Structures are given as structure tokens and as C-alpha cells.
Amino acid sequence: ALLGSFGDTPRHRAMSADGDEVRRTTERCIVLVGAVGAGKSSVGNALASGQNPFTARRSASGVTSTSSGAACAGPGLGGVAIVDGNETWWVIDTPGLSDGNETKPGSSDDEVLGEIVRCCASSDHRLNPTFGIDIFALVFNASGRVTAGDLRVVEDLKLTFGAGRFLERCVVVFTHADVLRTEGCDLEAYLSQCPEAMRTLLSQIGGGEPVFADLAGVNSAKGSNSRSLKTTGSLSPFVVDLATAVRRADAAVANSCLRSVGIDPADKRRVVAADVIAAAQARAPKLGMKAARRQRQEVNKKRRETQDATQGGGDWVGDLGAWVSNLIAPIAPVEKTVDDCL
């Protein structure tokens, strides 16, 4: 039930009276992933059209318990066109991983990963009309240190979606950049103090260098005015930087040798449900040669035992005769010569 229907990238074509194509709109999707308290919902509100659709507040545990989606402010992603003005983007907010609150329903990492997988496999048009994932926005909180739990989230996502497909489509976002600036911390200095695993991650992702977000002013302005960022005439620097990172990720995917295992293998840009299934099959334990041979022997033995039981013990006299005949070599006939006949 988790992996629902999926299909090709939705494209809507407007036809003229003569049947000529005059406009094409491509629907794309960005999914926000990360640990609890990273600020995913705030990022989603900065990209979405209208007032803040996602609940974002300070809390001792995760606020978001289920995945939910909203249309991005147009044109493009949060008011910035990625390719051209005919792209429509959707943003999906997901629950946080590594909550540690196992008593809270839906808080275990397996359940949260199931909610994230639902973003590319759901048959619910309201969650993700594109039925696929174009970009993973991996969100971290810059107001604290990068923890082992944050990095474990990355490994869980790589296993779930396939390391190559996830990393190629990944952009890293650090929220609460305003806290760093208030403390007089340089962004480059902050990155240099990150764990080696984080620096390795940044060198592997398609989005390249991370995006730092100061979202407090953006979300408060949107909360008091339902117009999109584009119509206010003041695009957030974060949205502009994010669009640049998405273009880098798109270029990495375009140059990749990986292909989707979905219905349309030529459409390698997005992750669909079939890719999740393929990743699960790839991480399944493989038997070694000896173990596989032993397994085949056990299967053959059980098959022979079943056959003997159904045949009432088999023809044991015939089996004994065949066994004895195999032990005694047959006597070769003696060829007679002309001298023997004399």
C-alpha cells in the first residue's frame, strides 16, 4: 500500500485550434528532508505561494508528523524560474528523522522514511501531483553543531532512494543563518568546522556548495501578506541561491549515467516508486557461492524426500541394483583373432 501508482513526468500541453502545441508546462517537485528541528517547514513556507501552509514553531519534539505539499510561488521555484516560466513547482514538507521519541505515534525512523517515500509513490494527487521527486533539499540547523544523528539521516536516505540518485538530486540548506551573523561567525568558518563527513557530503551532492537561509523576515512578511514573493518585488536571497543550486543539481543529473527504472527509462530526471523498490532490492543481503550451493543442495534434498514420500518409498530394489551395477565394472568382450579360430 505504501508504493502506489506512478508514471511519467506530468506535462500539460495547450493546443491551438489547428492542433499545434502552443505551450507546455512541466510539473516538478522539491522534497524537504532532514532531522527534527532543522527548519524544514520554514523553508517550505518561504517557497510556497500564499500564506504559510506549513506549521513551523519552536518545539522540544517534531511538529510535523505527516508529509504535506503545497504549490510554490510562481514563476518557477518560489518566484525564480529554474529553466523557463512554464515550470510549475511543488514543495513537500516531511516529518523529521532521528526524533528519538519512540512513544510518539509515527515518530520512528522507519515510519518517517515511509512518509518520505510516499512523496514519490502516493496516488494522492493532493500530496504530489507529479508522482516523483526532482530535488531533495537536505536541511540542517546552523544554530547548532552537526551531530551524528544528522549524518545518520543522510545514510538512511541514501539507502532508501539509492545513493547515486539521492546525491545527484540533493541540495543542502542551512537554516538560521541569522544566528551565525549575530554571533559574528563567518559562513566559511562555520563550514570549515563541520565534521569531515559533512565536507565529504558537500563534495558529492549535485547541488554543490550549500545554501544559507535567513527565513525569519521572509516568513513573517508572508504571514501578514498572502501575495507571493514575486509580487512584492523583493525576492529573498535564499530563494535565488536555492534556484542556483537546483540548476547545478539538474546539470549533474543530465550528465549522469544513471537511469530511472520506472515506466520511462529515458526520463532519468526524477525519482519514482520503482527506483525505491530497486534500491530496496539492491541492499538485500546477497548469498555467497558456498551458501548458495548449500541452499541448492538443501532444496534438492527436500525435493527428493518429498518425491519418495509421495511414491511410497520408491523402487528400492531397482535403486539397489543400480547401485551394485555402478560398483562392478562390466566385463569387456574378448575380440577373437584369426589364430584363435584355428
Side-chain angles (χ1 to χ4, degrees):
L2 179 62
L3 297 176
S5 61
F6 54 89
D8 301 340
T9 306
R11 294 177 174 88
H12 303 292
R13 294 175 172 85
M15 310 301 292
S16 67
D18 298 329
D20 297 327
E21 182 179 337
V22 295
R23 176 175 171 270
R24 186 177 73 176
T25 300
T26 300
E27 291 187 338
R28 304 188 66 189
C29 177
I30 181 170
V31 173
L32 310 174
V33 294
V36 170
K40 298 183 297 298
S41 298
S42 296
V43 172
N45 288 332
L47 298 177
S49 61
Q51 293 184 344
N52 302 335
F54 307 117
T55 302
R57 67 173 185 270
R58 296 282 185 178
S59 176
S61 60
V63 175
T64 304
S65 58
T66 59
S67 297
S68 58
C72 288
L77 180 63
V80 180
I82 302 300
V83 178
D84 54 44
N86 290 334
E87 280 191 344
T88 299
W89 280 81
W90 295 80
V91 56
I92 299 181
D93 186 24
T94 66
L97 288 156
S98 298
D99 191 346
N101 186 6
E102 299 296 335
T103 61
K104 182 179 177 181
S107 63
S108 71
D109 280 356
D110 287 341
E111 292 174 301
V112 173
L113 285 170
E115 274 295 306
I116 299 174
V117 168
R118 198 165 66 90
C119 299
C120 71
S122 176
S123 58
D124 185 357
H125 185 81
R126 293 170 298 179
L127 175 60
N128 182 7
T130 74
F131 301 108
I133 300 174
D134 292 274
I135 295 293
F136 293 93
L138 182 58
V139 185
F140 296 93
N141 189 339
S143 65
R145 61 188 181 89
V146 178
T147 66
D150 295 330
L151 298 174
R152 187 170 63 249
V153 166
V154 178
E155 295 304 314
D156 288 341
L157 293 167
K158 286 164 59 177
L159 287 174
T160 301
F161 295 97
R165 291 185 175 88
F166 174 76
L167 292 173
E168 287 175 351
R169 294 163 177 80
C170 182
V171 298
V172 167
V173 176
F174 282 96
T175 59
H176 301 290
D178 54 314
V179 176
L180 295 180
R181 295 189 179 93
T182 300
E183 297 176 352
C185 179
D186 182 73
L187 302 182
E188 294 295 332
Y190 175 82
L191 291 177
S192 66
Q193 297 170 3
C194 287
E196 181 65 28
M198 171 58 74
R199 293 196 291 271
T200 300
L201 172 67
L202 294 176
S203 68
Q204 294 175 337
I205 61 174
E209 62 183 61
V211 179
F212 284 88
D214 178 2
L215 303 174
V218 174
N219 287 329
S220 60
K222 290 185 67 180
S224 60
N225 191 334
S226 62
R227 292 181 298 169
S228 69
L229 292 175
K230 184 65 176 178
T231 57
T232 63
S234 58
L235 281 171
S236 165
F238 155 69
V239 177
V240 176
D241 292 343
L242 179 63
T244 302
V246 169
R247 293 189 191 100
R248 289 194 294 262
D250 282 348
V253 172
N255 295 324
S256 172
C257 61
L258 293 177
R259 295 291 187 274
S260 173
V261 296
I263 294 177
D264 184 6
D267 186 9
K268 63 179 182 179
R269 186 173 63 182
R270 54 210 349 264
V271 172
V272 296
D275 297 315
V276 178
I277 296 173
Q281 293 172 343
R283 66 177 181 266
K286 302 294 190 299
L287 291 175
M289 293 182 62
K290 291 184 178 180
R293 184 170 61 250
R294 193 179 307 114
Q295 187 183 66
R296 288 195 301 270
Q297 291 172 347
E298 290 294 329
V299 170
N300 292 334
K301 180 181 178 182
K302 291 182 179 180
R303 184 182 296 115
R304 289 193 300 269
E305 292 174 349
T306 302
Q307 290 175 349
D308 291 343
T310 56
Q311 296 174 2
D315 185 7
W316 63 271
V317 176
D319 292 342
L320 178 61
W323 178 73
V324 172
S325 64
N326 289 333
L327 292 178
I328 303 175
I331 301 175
V334 179
E335 296 182 2
K336 293 184 178 181
T337 64
V338 176
D339 292 337
D340 293 333
C341 296
L342 293 177

